[in-house]
Amino acid sequence: MNAFIKETGQKFLDRVAKNPKRFFTYSMIFLSISFIGSLIQGIFFPSQKTFTIKPPVLYSNSGISQNTASAQDTEMEKIVSELKFLKEKRDRNSLQKVDSLRIEFLFNRFQQLKNSR
């Protein structure tokens, strides 16, 4: 059986090597008929399955992504207002070590929110 398959395959390859134009023609006819058949099947006999893949929330036009963006905006506004308050405190020369740590934390959080957009 194995020898028969090898022999048949070898004969086929020999015929293809001798007649490449005919092989190409038959291949293109087969591919064209297959393409037309799949188009007809898709148009006249569509699949009963619905498209079940949901796009990521990031790319959908739902309110969820808009709500997270507005929440980020409000948080960024709070951070900016607190940084302004700490700047005024610095101008009065009344900053403490805790304030400098808070400034660093707020700045890093602001950068995270800005880069996540």
Side-chain angles (χ1 to χ4, degrees):
M1 179 73 177
N2 201 7
F4 174 74
I5 293 174
K6 284 184 181 180
E7 188 177 317
T8 307
Q10 190 64 35
K11 286 181 184 178
F12 175 74
L13 290 176
D14 288 340
R15 266 190 259 138
V16 169
K18 289 180 184 174
N19 302 314
K21 289 182 183 179
R22 182 179 291 173
F23 175 74
F24 179 77
T25 305
Y26 289 148
S27 299
M28 286 300 120
I29 290 171
F30 175 75
L31 289 174
S32 300
I33 291 172
S34 297
F35 178 70
I36 292 170
S38 66
L39 280 178
I40 290 171
Q41 179 186 6
I43 293 171
F44 295 113
F45 308 105
S47 175
Q48 298 300 324
K49 294 172 98 178
T50 58
F51 189 70
T52 57
I53 298 174
K54 295 181 182 178
V57 175
L58 180 68
Y59 300 113
S60 68
N61 291 331
S62 67
I64 296 170
S65 60
Q66 294 170 355
N67 289 341
T68 57
S70 64
Q72 285 181 347
D73 288 340
T74 56
E75 188 173 353
M76 288 173 72
E77 289 173 7
K78 289 179 185 177
I79 291 173
V80 168
S81 64
E82 189 171 350
L83 284 172
K84 284 181 183 177
F85 172 74
L86 290 170
K87 183 179 183 277
E88 292 172 2
K89 196 172 180 182
R90 182 199 67 188
D91 293 341
R92 290 182 302 216
N93 293 328
S94 60
L95 276 181
Q96 298 174 352
K97 184 169 178 103
V98 175
D99 294 332
S100 63
L101 291 174
R102 181 71 181 161
I103 290 170
E104 187 175 341
F105 169 76
L106 289 173
F107 182 75
N108 288 336
R109 181 68 182 141
F110 183 80
Q111 289 297 327
Q112 287 175 349
L113 290 172
K114 187 177 176 183
N115 291 335
S116 69
R117 290 181 147 209

